[in-house]
Amino acid sequence: MIQEPARDAIAAVLVALAFITPVRAEGDIARGAQAARMCMACHSFAPGRHMTGPSLAEVWGRKAGTADGFTRYSDALKHSGLIWNKQNLEAWLTNPAALVPGNAMDFPGIADAPTRADVVAYLEAVSTGRVTAPDRGLPNLKKADLASQVTAIRYCGDAYRLTTADRKTHTFWEFNLRIKTDGSAQGPLAGKPVLIGSGMHGDRAEVVFARPDEISTFIQRQCP
Ligand code: HEC
């Protein structure tokens, strides 16, 4: 006779198999997670976090072109009438331009059919909450550390001098400092721009403001 704990273990395995087997037949979620890295230059899998492309967190079963808060859809995608089910995602990832001519996703498609199936399985698993996607999107700039919080920007000659909350000054040639805005929930607090980038010790960086109208008032023309 099987002891209680053993029976529990077998039951657990059976449940796990029931869960995994049909998925593996269609595409492998773990391999899909790896392959989906190629999407992450433009997409986040975190709900509501839009980048170049809309968040893919809840794409499964959704009508194309309807992610809440994403304002840059092409007319072509908005009017495509597609629902993002397995078949349409397969076709989209095979050749986006062929499925929806004139769409704005600058991506050639995935030529390899098994990899495509893996990515589609992953999209379903994330959308249905079966797996949690790592948020590889942008950092939350409301939580910037002292070394990244910009307290003053002075402009003189061809240079920007940035003071950060840790009382350090960073000087950049004006052409090497990118000025950006991020009005999303992850963007900086109003009036609290954030310094990020390829090393605050390097010769290039970017400073991100909450809104464009802050930029010219924050930057003071002042020589040291
Ligand atoms: C170069 C940037 C870029 C890459 C890389 C990219 N996408 Fe996109 N994606 C976009 C943009 C932009 C849109 C919106 C297209 C439009 O409006 O025509 C989009 C739209 C989509 C949509 C439709 C979403 C909706 O709400 O209707 C899906 C699904 C999608 N992408 C999946 C993927 C997947 C999966 C990958 C990786 C295999 C990927 N994308 C790679 C930029 C990209």
Side-chain angles (χ1 to χ4, degrees), residues 38-39 42-43 52 62 64-65 73-74 84 92 103-106:
M38 66 180 123
C39 320
C42 297
H43 290 284
T52 303
R62 185 170 73 197
Y73 282 114
S74 64
W84 291 127
W92 175 249
N103 83 80
M105 175 155 122
D106 187 10

Side-chain angles (χ1 to χ4, degrees), residues 23-222:
V23 173
R24 285 194 76 86
E26 304 198 333
D28 184 290
I29 294 171
R31 279 203 308 258
Q34 285 300 107
R37 286 163 181 254
M38 66 180 123
C39 320
M40 291 181 182
C42 297
H43 290 284
S44 164
F45 288 85
R49 186 171 281 201
H50 305 308
M51 298 169 64
T52 303
S55 161
L56 296 178
E58 288 142 1
V59 75
W60 197 263
R62 185 170 73 197
K63 193 163 174 252
T66 60
D68 250 5
F70 186 74
T71 56
R72 285 169 279 114
Y73 282 114
S74 64
D75 288 342
L77 190 64
K78 270 194 300 201
H79 299 142
S80 67
L82 293 170
I83 302 286
W84 291 127
N85 55 23
K86 180 166 179 285
Q87 190 192 348
N88 286 337
L89 282 167
E90 276 275 350
W92 175 249
L93 295 181
T94 304
N95 186 342
L99 183 69
V100 183
N103 83 80
M105 175 155 122
D106 187 10
F107 182 72
I110 305 171
D112 181 59
T115 304
R116 231 163 35 226
D118 292 344
V119 171
V120 172
Y122 182 66
L123 288 173
E124 180 183 16
V126 170
S127 284
T128 54
R130 205 181 307 164
V131 299
T132 309
D135 185 5
R136 286 187 222 281
L138 306 168
N140 186 340
L141 300 182
K142 291 197 170 55
K143 296 183 178 156
D145 58 12
L146 291 181
S148 310
Q149 293 170 22
V150 180
T151 53
I153 303 181
R154 284 164 297 148
Y155 177 63
C156 177
D158 65 356
Y160 288 108
R161 288 184 174 76
L162 278 68
T163 310
T164 40
D166 59 355
R167 295 172 187 277
K168 294 213 166 85
T169 301
H170 312 266
T171 304
F172 299 98
W173 174 37
E174 62 180 340
F175 204 73
N176 280 355
L177 185 71
R178 291 182 179 201
I179 295 175
K180 300 183 171 182
T181 56
D182 182 353
S184 76
Q186 289 78 29
L189 294 163
K192 308 265 183 198
V194 174
L195 177 65
I196 50 177
S198 47
M200 279 160 246
H201 308 293
D203 70 331
R204 277 150 222 264
E206 40 198 61
V207 59
V208 188
F209 288 82
R211 290 194 310 263
D213 47 284
E214 290 177 5
I215 297 172
S216 57
T217 48
F218 198 92
I219 300 174
Q220 302 287 314
R221 251 179 203 280
Q222 190 190 326

